Amino acid sequence: MSSPKIFNGPGGYILQDVPHLIDYLPDLPTYQNPLKDNPAYSVVKQYFVDTEDTVPEKIIVHKDGPRGIHFRRAGPRQKVYFESDEVHACIVTCGGLCPGLNTVIREIVSSLSHMYGVKRILGIDGGYRGFYAKNTIPLTSKVVNDIHKRGGTILGTSRGGHDTKKIVDSIQERGINQVYIIGGDGTQRGASKIFEEIRKRGLKVAVVGIPKTIDNDIPVIDRSFGFDTAVEEAQRAINAAHVEAESNENGIGFVKLMGRHSGFIAMYATLASRDVDCCLIPESPFYLEGEGGLFEYIEKRLKEHGHMVIVLAEGAGQEMMTKSMESNTLEDASGNKVLKDVGLWLSQSIKDASGNKVLKDVGLWLSQSIKDHFKKIKMVMNLKYIDPTYMIRAIPSNAADNVYCTLLAQSAVHGAMAGYTGYTSGLVHGRQTYIPFYRITEKQNSVVITDRMWARLLSSTNQPSFLGPKNISEQKKETHGTPSPDGEICNGVVHIPPVTKEITK
Ligand SMILES: Nc1ncnc2c1ncn2[C@@H]1O[C@H](COP(=O)(O)OP(=O)(O)O)[C@@H](O)[C@H]1O
Ligand SMILES: O=P(O)(O)OC[C@H]1O[C@](O)(COP(=O)(O)O)[C@@H](O)[C@@H]1O
Ligand SMILES: [Mg+2]
């Protein structure tokens, strides 16, 4: 693996820079950016980004503290490293769906063709494995004209099937020199490997990642595209759950939302709705029985209000469910042990083609457990379970996400044209930046339950925190992982010594 490029400046300034083609191809010629003569851009004062411009990772800095880590600011540069006719770009989408994929595809094609006069753009069919299939999809402005109005990805997507050598062989054989890879944490890991192999072979090929995740689990960036749309769509399910709950005696509206390891969709959907009485996410352990447990809270809420709404992220309570099913502690109303076979099935760990753990349906299990509990205590209760998981990610992106996708795609293209490579384009504090792959892949973004946002949620729902002092100290330890040399929080491990240089001017 190549070494991270890190520059140290005065006042504790650190630039975590991204690779550039000239790092390994020092004699590449440069050309005037064609945008200079484009009437739309030439009138814009300071349209080109100053090469020294960077964006801080942490916006809140103590007055005596160091300036901290910065990323290269994205945007068009005066000089480009590709001539328009020379560019042969390709776009691939990998992993699960997310609203906005088609908008990103559309805007990469539009930016390349309208801003930089590029004519050869290929769509790779069905994720990474499409690189070594025969079929490709020629992409023109006409082909992508109204795809942003559709959900999904016109290119198709898949999990698994990443073979770095075969992918780079295909890139080389087809004469592709700009690779745009849209996908989540797994995809960006794959993109990083493709970049390393391309660099090893000394190819003039820019590798660009565009972060996609409905779960919002990619670190460093403000939020992922499609997240806003997903939270908005989740409101429809929560509203339905609320209506059902209100209309029934001791009604419980129970909604399961996506969120494998990170409960951001559930948390933001809850905060947006105000109708939710309890939000359960993977980061916040909870328990059912006894004082301070979920059952006690539900009973209390039903007695006070006559109805309630629960939102559950799919990754929440997985361990508890597995343990409970394994030990067959689930009993029916007559006290008989049930679901023995399901218990056995639950104890097996199943992985998808990409190696992600396939989660068991905690929603079904928890709603059954709640029903059993109320039967046991002989209290009337009507639970309506709504599972809109795929519905919230299979829709087209909303207006805000469409704008976000557009800027993200434009930034990705400007960076590749300027010769940068091995980076993920991302929004940091509202600014477009280029982030080195290792910062994107080193850890997952998750809800920190000792932070203010989770406290805000607890005070909005009034639910118990389900936390004892032991959990709180464990959480604190986890979020304060291994400190990196600058004192930053960093749970990921980067084994390669960085190339560090002092900035003298
Ligand atoms: N560590 C890895 N190295 C190389 N490729 C990977 C890695 N993890 C995942 N991939 C590939 O990335 C693609 C998408 O990964 P996946 O985890 O399914 O979705 P996402 O990118 O949305 O997290 C798959 O084709 C998978 O083979
Ligand atoms: O059924 P699929 O397509 O494998 O997707 C399910 C998973 O995909 C997600 O939506 C997002 O995961 P990725 O970001 O890895 O694609 C998870 O929330 C969910 O667990
Ligand atoms: Mg993933």
Side-chain angles (χ1 to χ4, degrees):
M1 250 177 89
S2 53
S3 302
K5 279 165 73 178
I6 296 177
F7 297 91
N8 295 312
Y13 171 92
I14 297 167
L15 169 63
Q16 289 190 340
D17 205 1
V18 294
H20 195 282
L21 292 170
I22 55 167
D23 294 347
Y24 61 97
L25 297 168
D27 300 324
L28 285 182
T30 58
Y31 312 94
Q32 187 85 258
N33 192 325
L35 282 172
K36 206 150 195 252
D37 305 318
N38 184 320
Y41 304 99
S42 52
V43 290
V44 180
K45 233 175 146 190
Q46 285 195 329
Y47 186 73
F48 294 109
V49 166
D50 189 318
T51 49
E52 305 290 313
D53 279 356
T54 59
V55 178
E57 182 181 17
K58 295 267 180 279
I59 203 152
I60 297 171
V61 183
H62 191 274
K63 72 178 171 50
D64 303 319
R67 292 171 68 197
I69 292 171
H70 291 64
F71 300 112
R72 204 165 265 289
R73 184 180 175 191
R77 288 358 197 208
Q78 297 270 4
K79 296 268 174 251
V80 293
Y81 282 76
F82 291 92
E83 283 184 298
S84 304
D85 292 346
E86 177 195 356
V87 177
H88 187 194
C90 77
I91 308 173
V92 64
T93 50
C94 311
L97 291 184
C98 181
L101 280 166
N102 279 334
T103 313
V104 175
I105 297 168
R106 184 190 190 279
E107 296 309 320
I108 293 174
V109 175
S110 300
S111 308
L112 281 168
S113 41
H114 299 150
M115 291 180 178
Y116 290 102
V118 172
K119 294 199 176 63
R120 291 182 301 160
I121 311 166
L122 273 187
I124 303 296
D125 191 6
Y128 276 134
R129 62 169 65 107
F131 272 105
Y132 30 93
K134 278 207 184 92
N135 290 349
T136 49
I137 303 154
L139 296 172
T140 60
S141 298
K142 207 172 158 199
V143 170
V144 299
N145 187 41
D146 62 358
I147 61 170
H148 60 296
K149 294 173 188 161
R150 282 180 250 162
T153 157
I154 59 153
L155 302 179
T157 186
S158 63
R159 297 195 190 272
H162 179 102
D163 183 326
T164 312
K165 292 226 158 53
K166 273 164 83 178
I167 291 170
V168 178
D169 286 350
S170 157
I171 289 169
Q172 214 171 347
E173 275 158 26
R174 292 179 205 265
I176 290 166
N177 49 22
Q178 290 187 5
V179 186
Y180 295 92
I181 303 174
I182 312 170
D185 53 341
T187 306
Q188 303 299 314
R189 273 185 207 104
S192 172
K193 288 180 184 165
I194 294 172
F195 160 70
E196 292 297 340
E197 181 63 22
I198 279 172
R199 186 188 165 115
K200 204 171 92 191
R201 295 189 196 184
L203 305 175
K204 186 189 175 187
V205 178
V207 181
V208 182
I210 292 122
K212 168 246 52 154
T213 154
I214 193 82
D215 293 350
N216 199 32
D217 58 3
I218 293 184
V220 184
I221 59 173
D222 292 353
R223 67 168 202 283
S224 47
F225 71 80
F227 179 71
D228 201 45
T229 308
V231 170
E232 203 170 290
E233 187 65 9
Q235 300 305 300
R236 299 207 306 141
I238 295 172
N239 286 343
H242 189 229
V243 170
E244 286 289 343
E246 262 190 329
S247 313
N248 283 288
E249 186 186 356
N250 284 341
I252 300 180
F254 190 174
V255 180
K256 186 180 87 171
L257 297 172
M258 274 191 175
R260 213 201 288 266
H261 306 290
S262 310
F264 286 105
I265 298 179
M267 176 166 87
Y268 276 85
T270 297
L271 279 167
S273 155
R274 307 280 156 173
D275 283 335
V276 180
D277 302 280
C278 187
C279 173
L280 302 168
I281 58 169
E283 297 88 336
S284 177
F286 64 96
Y287 55 96
L288 305 182
E289 316 266 358
E291 205 185 319
L294 183 64
F295 291 158
E296 185 195 72
Y297 175 60
I298 297 175
E299 279 171 44
K300 184 172 151 258
R301 209 67 197 148
L302 291 182
K303 279 176 195 156
E304 284 167 5
H305 293 269
H307 70 276
M308 76 179 294
V309 176
I310 302 174
V311 164
L312 169 82
E314 61 174 339
Q318 287 284 321
E319 227 176 276
M320 180 172 55
M321 170 179 56
T322 308
K323 268 191 201 146
S324 144
M325 301 300 268
E326 271 172 358
S327 59
N328 274 334
T329 51
L330 205 66
E331 293 181 351
D332 65 15
S334 330
N336 302 317
K337 296 204 166 166
V338 291
L339 298 175
K340 194 162 187 203
D341 294 342
V342 180
L344 280 176
W345 170 75
L346 277 167
S347 61
Q348 290 161 12
S349 175
I350 306 165
K351 295 205 166 153
D352 70 13
S354 298
N356 302 306
K357 201 172 162 204
V358 175
L359 300 179
K360 281 111 195 184
D361 196 335
V362 68
L364 277 179
W365 171 78
L366 190 54
S367 46
Q368 190 55 49
S369 306
I370 296 170
K371 282 178 189 167
D372 290 341
H373 172 77
F374 279 88
K375 246 187 204 168
K376 215 157 116 185
I377 63 165
K378 297 194 174 44
M379 183 171 158
V380 176
M381 184 275 301
N382 280 293
L383 186 144
K384 309 289 175 195
Y385 177 44
I386 300 178
D387 180 352
T389 41
Y390 288 102
M391 291 177 67
I392 65 162
R393 72 171 202 188
I395 54 168
S397 43
N398 67 11
D401 274 328
N402 268 337
V403 174
Y404 180 14
C405 290
T406 304
L407 303 188
L408 200 54
Q410 289 190 358
S411 301
V413 169
H414 289 313
M417 290 302 297
Y420 293 110
T421 179
Y423 66 89
T424 300
S425 232
L427 200 67
V428 177
H429 306 305
R431 295 289 181 172
Q432 298 286 341
T433 67
Y434 300 137
I435 305 160
F437 280 143
Y438 66 89
R439 286 304 314 276
I440 295 291
T441 56
E442 68 187 358
K443 64 175 177 182
Q444 258 177 342
N445 191 27
S446 56
V447 175
V448 178
I449 59 168
T450 46
D451 264 7
R452 280 190 190 85
M453 210 57 185
W454 187 243
R456 286 177 188 128
L457 178 134
L458 294 181
S459 59
S460 135
T461 59
N462 285 316
Q463 71 191 69
S465 74
F466 304 108
L467 280 181
K470 187 172 158 264
N471 287 124
I472 293 175
S473 77
E474 267 166 20
Q475 266 281 329
K476 280 199 173 140
K477 244 187 265 157
E478 261 170 46
T479 41
H480 291 86
T482 325
S484 60
D486 64 312
E488 273 290 300
I489 308 308
C490 172
N491 290 323
V493 186
V494 182
H495 299 287
I496 297 93
V499 176
T500 53
K501 289 186 187 147
E502 294 297 322
I503 298 173
T504 43
K505 56 175 180 163

